[in-house]
Amino acid sequence: MDQVSGIKEKGNIALQEGKIEEAIQHYTEAIALDSCNHVLFSNRSAAYAKAGKYEQALEDAEETVNLNPEWVRGYSRKGSALAYLGKYDESIEAYNAGLKLEPDNAQLKSALASVKAQKASAATNIPADFFTKLPNFQDPKVYDALDSLMKDKNILKNLKDMMGTHGDGGEEPMDTDPPQPPKSQTPKQDPPKPQKKEEDNLPPEKREALNEKELGNEAYKKKSFEEALAHYNRAIELEPTEIIYQLNVAAVYFEQKEYEKCISQCEKAIEVGRENRADFKLIAKAFTRIGHAYKKMENWKQAKVYYEKSMSEHRTPEIKTLLSDVDKIIKEEERRAYIDPEKAEEEKELGNQRYKDGDYPTAIKHYTEAIKRNPDDPKYYSNRAACYMKLAAFDLGLKDCDKCLEIDPKFIKGWIRKGKILQGMQQQGKALNAYQKALEVDPNNKEALAAYRTCAVSFSSNPEEVRKRAMSDPEVQSILSDPTMRLILDQMQSDPRALRDHLKNPNIAAKLQKLLETGLIAIY
């Protein structure tokens, strides 16, 4: 963004000095770097208009409006370019669009009146200044009435006679905001007297310093960093109170990966800037560059400090994003630095002891510390889930079980503990599913088998209630009405071993799982 701003400023200076082609070149270069910047297109439109390239001026003006439809200057540029091209109705429409956004904009009102005068002049060959001198010519009602009168040939002839014009020449139409008529139509004028450049009024040392800076910039673009340094340092010698030259030197050090030198130079720039009341944005820029240097050195905490200092001088979305990114890196590094498996085991043993003593809240604290010390070990989550279950905090316990099984889906203790928590939440069908998952991991696990059988018996202790609850579920009704599923269920009764083959089909397995969860079937 700094690079784009610098190039745009060069274009502005060139335009002010009458170096039109140079200005166009600078704006084009800036647009290549930032093609969404409506101001760049607006400036280039103005430059094209001054160069008499009205088609290009119109294209840039239209792009300006497309990029930022709320920016009034874009409509001014568009109206001006259209007026040059003799498209008066479209020009009037563009100025009116701008006035809808800013009804009191004096520049747009004046330009609109001028274009209307040009339109009337083009139709009548009556000098445009005649119309602009009419009282209330800018009033739309007056203009519309005059436009109607101009269509009457007799009135038009009498008016021409009064003005002494008969359609055989007349004067050229007036200019519009702020362009000049096409070169082919512009009357010959004396060449303008050359204006003094702003630098011409500066003391010799400051003029020379500016020249050295420009030479340094050219070398910097070519990556001739030593040459750039020589020019920037010479500029500092000539004008030691200018913070920009100090920052330019720091930029070179940064490109050379001399980050310590860059930091030192920025600190000096800040000191010079403070002493000479430099713009706070430049002070912020110095702090930002220090932050960038520390970031390159992976000194994240110092980078954060200096980004925060930059924000205190001048808040920008870019620095806010950088600050957020660095803060995330710092937190992640702190998390990793805290990991210690040995200390995690120590905390787990303390938690186990507290669990045996029935001090579940304290046990939770030790298991939580163990998780922080080693967050990838599933058993710490499982142990903490057991504490939550004892405290009837089933939702927290279930969350820990899910995390435990996310880390290790074959952690059988996690499935058993999840099943018990689900039973505590009166979700028997889901509990059966959890126990079944445990048995898939280890079909001979005694704890899982016992839990599954107990849950199944409890779930089916009132078969009629189970059947009613299940049959009220539309999904269950659909499964039982499927002839294929009824055949499979019959086969399971006569040959339980057939179940293994049917479970290989994901669609059938899902339907059987649904019947298991509702308690309509059980597998022992």
Side-chain angles (χ1 to χ4, degrees):
M1 294 303 294
D2 290 343
Q3 187 179 2
V4 170
S5 297
I7 297 170
K8 183 186 78 171
E9 188 58 31
K10 286 183 180 179
N12 293 347
I13 293 170
L15 193 61
Q16 290 168 6
E17 293 175 357
K19 300 175 181 177
I20 310 302
E21 292 301 327
E22 183 181 329
I24 291 171
Q25 185 177 350
H26 286 309
Y27 293 139
T28 302
E29 184 181 349
I31 288 169
L33 296 172
D34 186 2
S35 60
C36 295
N37 191 323
H38 63 280
V39 176
L40 296 175
F41 283 98
S42 173
N43 288 6
R44 192 171 70 174
S45 175
Y48 275 137
K50 284 194 174 184
K53 299 177 179 180
Y54 305 120
E55 292 288 353
Q56 292 96 320
L58 178 58
E59 287 178 10
D60 275 359
E62 288 176 336
E63 185 62 23
T64 304
V65 173
N66 289 337
L67 289 171
N68 190 349
E70 303 300 316
W71 200 54
V72 171
R73 180 63 65 82
Y75 297 98
S76 176
R77 297 285 188 221
K78 183 177 179 179
S80 177
L82 288 164
Y84 281 138
L85 295 168
K87 299 178 180 180
Y88 300 120
D89 289 333
E90 293 178 50
S91 175
I92 290 168
E93 186 179 339
Y95 283 125
N96 280 328
L99 285 167
K100 285 182 181 178
L101 296 173
E102 288 187 18
D104 298 324
N105 189 303
Q107 185 181 2
L108 288 177
K109 285 183 177 181
S110 176
L112 178 59
S114 182
V115 174
K116 287 179 177 180
Q118 288 187 57
K119 179 184 175 182
S121 179
T124 62
N125 287 326
I126 295 173
D129 61 352
F130 167 77
F131 299 101
T132 55
K133 290 174 182 177
L134 287 174
N136 301 319
F137 182 73
Q138 294 187 31
D139 187 327
K141 293 180 180 178
V142 173
Y143 172 74
D144 291 341
L146 183 61
D147 189 46
S148 299
L149 289 172
M150 291 300 173
K151 294 174 183 177
D152 188 312
K153 293 181 180 180
N154 292 327
I155 293 176
L156 181 59
K157 181 178 183 304
N158 291 334
L159 188 57
K160 287 179 181 179
D161 290 339
M162 290 168 61
M163 296 299 302
T165 58
H166 301 277
D168 55 353
E171 296 184 20
E172 295 292 334
M174 289 182 65
D175 296 338
T176 60
D177 161 51
Q180 301 296 320
K183 291 180 179 178
S184 59
Q185 299 177 8
T186 305
K188 290 185 179 180
Q189 298 177 354
D190 293 332
K193 293 181 180 179
Q195 296 181 350
K196 280 190 176 184
K197 297 179 184 179
E198 189 178 343
E199 302 94 272
D200 294 340
N201 298 322
L202 296 174
E205 294 83 1
K206 288 196 174 186
R207 283 205 307 272
E208 190 177 346
L210 279 173
N211 184 54
E212 290 291 342
K213 186 193 83 165
E214 291 301 321
L215 292 171
N217 290 349
E218 291 299 322
Y220 182 89
K221 289 178 187 176
K222 297 174 185 176
K223 298 190 180 297
S224 301
F225 296 127
E226 292 301 328
E227 182 185 345
L229 268 180
H231 287 300
Y232 291 146
N233 281 322
R234 176 58 183 156
I236 291 173
E237 289 176 15
L238 293 164
E239 196 173 358
T241 61
E242 178 52 68
I243 185 175
I244 291 176
Y245 304 149
Q246 306 280 349
L247 288 173
N248 287 353
V249 170
V252 174
Y253 287 142
F254 187 87
E255 290 294 329
Q256 292 179 319
K257 298 181 171 55
E258 296 279 358
Y259 300 123
E260 293 287 355
K261 287 185 178 180
C262 174
I263 291 167
S264 177
Q265 186 65 38
C266 286
E267 287 171 345
K268 188 175 180 182
I270 292 165
E271 184 182 342
V272 169
R274 297 281 196 214
E275 289 174 357
N276 295 277
R277 298 184 179 181
D279 188 335
F280 61 89
K281 291 181 183 178
L282 293 174
I283 301 292
K285 188 174 182 180
F287 281 129
T288 298
R289 191 156 286 157
I290 293 175
H292 290 341
Y294 277 122
K295 187 180 176 186
K296 286 288 186 181
M297 296 163 71
E298 297 188 357
N299 188 336
W300 311 111
K301 289 186 177 180
Q302 281 297 94
K304 180 182 177 182
V305 167
Y306 281 92
Y307 285 146
E308 285 173 342
K309 288 185 177 183
S310 176
M311 289 281 281
S312 69
E313 295 289 335
H314 179 52
R315 297 180 68 85
T316 66
E318 293 80 11
I319 303 305
K320 188 177 179 181
T321 301
L322 283 169
L323 187 56
S324 176
D325 292 343
V326 168
D327 202 34
K328 287 177 185 176
I329 293 171
I330 291 170
K331 286 179 180 177
E332 179 59 21
E333 284 200 338
E334 288 175 348
R335 187 189 71 81
R336 289 180 180 176
Y338 200 70
I339 292 174
D340 187 330
E342 288 185 10
K343 289 185 178 179
E345 282 297 307
E346 291 174 9
E347 291 294 335
K348 186 200 79 168
E349 291 304 321
L350 291 170
N352 290 350
Q353 186 59 52
R354 293 296 186 183
Y355 183 87
K356 290 175 185 177
D357 296 341
D359 186 358
Y360 304 120
T362 305
I364 286 172
K365 288 181 181 178
H366 288 298
Y367 291 139
T368 300
E369 182 64 19
I371 289 169
K372 289 179 180 178
R373 290 293 186 178
N374 191 3
D376 296 326
D377 193 323
K379 63 177 176 286
Y380 305 141
Y381 296 96
S382 176
N383 288 5
R384 191 170 69 175
C387 292
Y388 284 133
M389 187 170 66
K390 290 289 185 180
L391 296 170
F394 297 123
D395 55 339
L396 294 174
L398 190 60
K399 185 178 179 182
D400 268 356
C401 287
D402 287 338
K403 182 62 179 178
C404 161
L405 295 167
E406 178 189 322
I407 295 169
D408 183 3
K410 293 186 178 181
F411 189 72
I412 195 166
K413 196 76 175 178
W415 287 113
I416 294 171
R417 192 144 281 154
K418 182 175 182 178
K420 289 181 178 180
I421 289 173
L422 287 166
Q423 276 188 276
M425 299 171 75
Q426 300 301 311
Q427 297 183 25
Q428 307 292 347
K430 290 184 179 179
L432 278 173
N433 183 34
Y435 294 137
Q436 186 180 338
K437 292 285 186 183
L439 290 170
E440 287 175 9
V441 175
D442 182 3
N444 300 314
N445 186 282
K446 293 180 179 179
E447 187 181 1
L449 279 168
Y452 181 86
R453 285 170 180 162
T454 303
C455 183
V457 169
S458 172
F459 194 31
S460 59
S461 58
N462 188 343
E464 185 59 27
E465 186 64 30
V466 170
R467 192 189 70 79
K468 285 181 180 179
R469 184 170 58 245
M471 292 306 293
S472 65
D473 188 332
E475 188 178 349
V476 171
Q477 294 173 17
S478 174
I479 292 170
L480 293 178
S481 63
D482 183 345
T484 304
M485 284 302 301
R486 293 190 67 84
L487 183 63
I488 290 170
L489 291 171
D490 290 340
Q491 188 181 14
M492 283 171 56
Q493 287 183 340
S494 59
D495 183 9
R497 290 175 299 178
L499 174 64
R500 191 183 298 269
D501 294 329
H502 289 308
L503 289 175
K504 292 178 182 178
N505 184 320
N507 186 39
I508 293 172
K511 291 179 179 180
L512 288 172
Q513 186 60 51
K514 177 65 179 179
L515 297 178
L516 278 168
E517 289 179 2
T518 58
L520 278 179
I521 63 171
I523 302 171
Y524 297 96

